[in-house]
């Protein structure tokens, strides 16, 4: 088996080729991409941080109901309230799985849907797959989280006083599900992917995205061919049911452990390219910009980072002197979680939480820790995870202008009565 080159190493080649005019900006003008990259490295005024959170029962672009006890609405997106996961199993029920839509959920007829695989990285011409064709291929099942690269972004501002651009998520832009579908590798092989293919570009059937007067085209994010052939799924089921409309029906990508943008929903076509491809989603977006990063940004983001969250509303109340079971979840895109520690005294003492699930890659663990609050008044709960690669959640995350990959310990305010 040949090792998968890191996205980092591959990207250095891709960017060099682009600057030499050998890589191709797919579906967007080169100068518009350059503008995006320049904008991404600019500082963001605090005021632009985000659309305010709203409590409402739904969003025009989302099909499922979004009751305020389950979701907090942010722009076109719905964040899962962590308190709503308390008492649920390791899989996030579809009715409370977060929704991140660049525009709106499209309604796609499953019978008429086709996946077209095309491009100069194929040995022959375009190949079409109907849903029935995919159902005839060997099915695989995989539990994996989908987590937005910007999950936790609001804490750059609220905990670190830093301005960042993008949706002001707290920690609920993650959900874990059991996905069933086919290996992307099987589809790419059947389509005749050649040895000369380097990039694979799945594209959604949702509307084109227009920001600041620039049409970015349809949501699409290239994967190096080695990754596309490794562990990526084309999923048609979520938790044993057909994919719901908001989560990509009839078929979406699942790229385990990687940032959510890689898991393209409502996939309609996949370009297999003999040249490296650049789109807004791997250039101006989903790279780290800011101090310590080159002007063209870091390599595109791949794996998710490490986080922990309490299954509690912010400001939850606890009776004094009464033993309370604190519950939460921790996860890492790097390696399975090894330990979780909880502190109720501002990080002076940490004690181990009890893990309730077998830690696995690309998934989260539920945990519990008992707490007997001794004093009335405001308090702060802290949880921090360590994964098997030895990484522990730090006290602060290095700033980047778009607020990606927040991994620091989050301060969860509560009240003791
Ligand atoms: N076609 C398409 N795919 C998409 C998106 C989108 O807007 N359109 N959003 C991406 C982002 S940024 C994330 S975090 C995940 C969210 O998946 P979910 O809405 O099922 O939770 O989908 C990704 N796939
Ligand atoms: Mo995302």
């Amino acid at each position: 088996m040949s090792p998968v080159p890191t996205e980092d190493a591959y990207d250095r080649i891709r960017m060099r080729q682009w600057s030499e005019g050998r890589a191709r900006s797919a579906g967007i003008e080169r100068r518009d991409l350059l503008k995006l990259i320049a904008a991404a490295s600019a500082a963001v005024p605090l005021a632009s941080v985000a659309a305010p959170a709203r409590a409402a029962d739904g969003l025009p672009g989302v099909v499922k109901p979004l009751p305020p006890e389950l979701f907090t609405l942010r722009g076109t997106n719905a964040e899962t309230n962590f308190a709503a996961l308390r008492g649920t199993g390791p899989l996030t029920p579809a009715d409370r799985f977060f929704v991140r839509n660049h525009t709106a959920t499209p309604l796609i007829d499953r019978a008429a849907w086709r996946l077209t695989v095309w491009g100069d990285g194929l040995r022959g011409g375009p190949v079409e797959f109907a849903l029935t064709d995919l159902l005839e291929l060997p099915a695989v099942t995989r539990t994996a989280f989908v987590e937005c690269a910007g999950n936790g972004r609001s804490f750059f501002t609220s905990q670190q006083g830093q301005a960042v651009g993008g949706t002001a998520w707290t920690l609920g832009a993650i959900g874990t599900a059991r996905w069933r579908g086919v290996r992307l590798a099987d589809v790419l092989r059947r389509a005749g992917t050649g040895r000369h293919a380097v990039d694979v570009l799945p594209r959604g059937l949702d509307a084109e995205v227009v920001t600041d007067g620039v049409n970015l085209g349809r949501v699409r994010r290239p994967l190096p061919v080695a990754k596309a052939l490794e562990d990526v799924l084309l999923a048609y089921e979520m938790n044993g049911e057909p994919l719901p409309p908001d989560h990509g029906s009839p078929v979406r990508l699942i790229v385990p452990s990687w940032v959510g943008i890689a898991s393209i929903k409502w996939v309609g076509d996949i370009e297999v390219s003999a040249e490296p491809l650049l789109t807004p989603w791997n250039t101006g977006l989903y790279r780290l910009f800011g101090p310590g990063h080159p002007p063209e940004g870091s390599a595109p983001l791949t794996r998710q980072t490490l986080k922990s969250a309490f299954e509690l509303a912010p400001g939850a109340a606890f009776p004094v002197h009464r033993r309370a079971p604190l519950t939460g979840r921790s996860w890492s895109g790097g390696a399975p979680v090894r330990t979780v520690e909880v502190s109720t005294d501002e990080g002076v003492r940490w004690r181990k939480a009890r893990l309730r699930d077998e830690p696995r890659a690309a998934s989260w663990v539920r945990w519990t820790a008992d707490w007997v609050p001794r004093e009335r008044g405001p308090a702060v709960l802290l949880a921090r995870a360590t994964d098997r690669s030895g990484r522990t959640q730090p006290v602060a995350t290095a700033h980047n202008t778009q607020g990606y990959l927040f991994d620091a310990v989050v301060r969860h305010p509560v009240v003791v009565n």
Side-chain angles (χ1 to χ4, degrees):
M1 226 173 68
S2 63
V4 178
T6 63
E7 173 85 0
D8 199 50
Y10 172 65
D11 186 60
R12 262 177 267 133
I13 304 168
R14 180 159 56 191
M15 287 306 267
R16 194 178 61 234
Q17 290 179 323
W18 189 48
S19 61
E20 290 164 359
R22 282 193 290 139
R24 188 155 51 78
S25 15
I28 184 163
E29 296 287 330
R30 184 186 169 86
R31 60 163 196 281
D32 282 337
L33 265 192
L34 289 169
K35 260 194 266 172
L36 266 180
I37 294 169
S41 55
V44 190
L46 263 177
S48 80
V49 161
R54 277 170 297 136
D57 242 330
L59 274 176
V62 174
V63 172
K64 69 183 176 186
L66 302 168
E69 56 294 1
L70 302 186
F71 292 102
T72 302
L73 307 188
R74 305 190 187 281
T76 54
N77 316 296
E79 171 167 1
T80 302
N81 293 338
F82 248 88
L85 296 181
R86 198 177 175 117
T88 67
L91 305 182
T92 313
D95 72 345
R96 56 202 72 188
F97 202 101
F98 85 105
V99 181
R100 163 66 176 122
N101 279 355
H102 281 73
T103 60
T105 296
L107 288 176
I108 298 165
D109 175 357
R110 300 164 66 80
W113 176 85
R114 296 289 181 275
L115 172 66
T116 308
V117 184
W118 61 281
D120 59 10
L122 297 184
R123 288 191 297 272
V127 180
E128 265 196 8
F129 297 83
L131 190 53
T132 48
D133 298 323
L134 298 190
L135 292 169
E136 279 168 18
L137 294 177
V140 287
T141 314
R142 170 97 207 242
T143 297
F145 62 70
V146 172
E147 184 189 15
C148 192
N151 195 24
R153 174 181 285 130
S154 67
F155 301 109
F156 277 103
T157 307
S158 64
Q159 293 195 174
Q160 304 187 177
Q162 293 158 338
V164 286
T167 304
W169 305 110
T170 58
L171 287 171
I174 179 168
T176 300
R178 196 150 169 76
W179 309 99
R180 183 177 157 89
V182 299
R183 287 187 189 85
L184 177 57
D186 287 347
V187 168
L188 292 178
R189 284 199 188 99
R190 247 154 239 262
T193 296
R195 288 187 165 276
H196 59 299
V198 298
D199 258 349
V200 170
L201 180 61
R203 180 163 56 166
L205 289 165
D206 41 341
E208 295 181 334
V209 181
V210 180
T211 40
D212 300 329
V214 180
N215 185 343
L216 307 181
R218 289 191 161 152
V219 178
R220 61 202 188 288
R221 197 271 194 203
L223 293 170
V225 75
K227 179 64 181 176
L229 294 173
E230 191 193 18
D231 61 351
V232 179
L233 295 191
L234 281 168
Y236 45 69
E237 267 182 28
M238 174 182 183
N239 296 338
E241 302 284 339
L243 275 189
D246 299 313
H247 299 292
S249 173
V251 176
R252 79 176 299 169
L253 258 76
I254 290 293
V255 184
S257 297
W258 281 32
V259 290
I261 185 61
S263 294
I264 294 292
K265 303 193 275 188
W266 314 294
V267 59
D269 73 291
I270 300 178
E271 178 180 356
V272 181
S273 172
E275 296 167 292
L277 298 178
L278 294 164
T279 77
W281 289 270
N282 67 337
T283 53
L285 300 167
Y286 302 102
R287 290 176 187 251
L288 305 179
F289 290 91
H293 299 292
E296 69 280 11
S298 69
L301 304 182
T302 57
R303 283 179 183 276
Q304 260 297 357
T305 184
L306 185 61
K307 291 192 191 66
S308 300
F310 288 93
E311 294 170 342
L312 285 174
F318 290 84
V320 72
H321 300 313
R322 189 106 44 86
R323 192 172 65 90
L326 301 175
T327 67
R329 298 173 191 235
S330 297
W331 61 96
S332 167
V337 168
R338 187 164 69 200
T339 51
V340 179
E341 299 159 289
V342 169
S343 174
T344 52
D345 60 4
E346 293 283 346
V348 179
R349 279 165 304 173
W350 292 89
R351 58 215 149 79
K352 275 198 179 163
R354 188 168 61 82
L355 304 189
R356 295 174 55 208
D357 298 302
E358 173 76 20
R360 288 182 204 284
S363 191
W364 55 16
V365 287
R366 294 170 300 159
W367 44 259
T368 57
D370 282 347
W371 180 40
V372 186
R374 302 283 178 205
E375 263 174 70
R376 287 179 212 272
V380 173
L381 305 179
L382 306 175
R384 86 177 166 201
T386 299
D387 71 18
R388 285 192 193 152
S389 76
R391 270 188 66 195
T392 298
Q393 289 184 255
V395 172
T397 303
H399 178 245
N400 66 89
T401 61
Q402 294 173 109
Y404 295 128
L405 301 185
F406 189 86
D407 64 350
V409 174
V410 169
R411 301 171 57 77
H412 191 111
V414 296
V415 188
V416 179
N417 295 311

